Amino acid sequence: MAEVRPAFDEAARTHPPLREASSARQDAHPRQIRDADFAYGLERVLDGLAARLGA
């Protein structure tokens, strides 16, 4: 991650929301980020299924 960080920072320079989100997570271990992103996505899918089953 440390090797690609400078290239990412340069690419995100013109995209403030991406840069801010990345800065907030820059000290987190990549596995923690992946797990959190997966859990968030899974929760959204399950929320959608629950809404459809309840309709």
Side-chain angles (χ1 to χ4, degrees):
M1 292 299 292
E3 293 176 16
V4 298
R5 185 69 192 187
F8 176 83
D9 288 341
E10 179 60 28
R13 184 174 50 84
T14 59
H15 302 284
L18 178 62
R19 187 177 60 238
E20 290 169 12
S22 174
S23 294
R25 298 167 78 170
Q26 117 180 21
D27 294 329
H29 190 279
R31 181 172 289 155
Q32 289 174 316
I33 294 171
R34 282 191 305 269
D35 289 349
D37 288 348
F38 178 81
Y40 176 81
L42 180 59
E43 289 171 10
R44 299 299 68 84
V45 168
L46 294 176
D47 288 346
L49 289 173
R52 289 189 60 107
L53 290 174

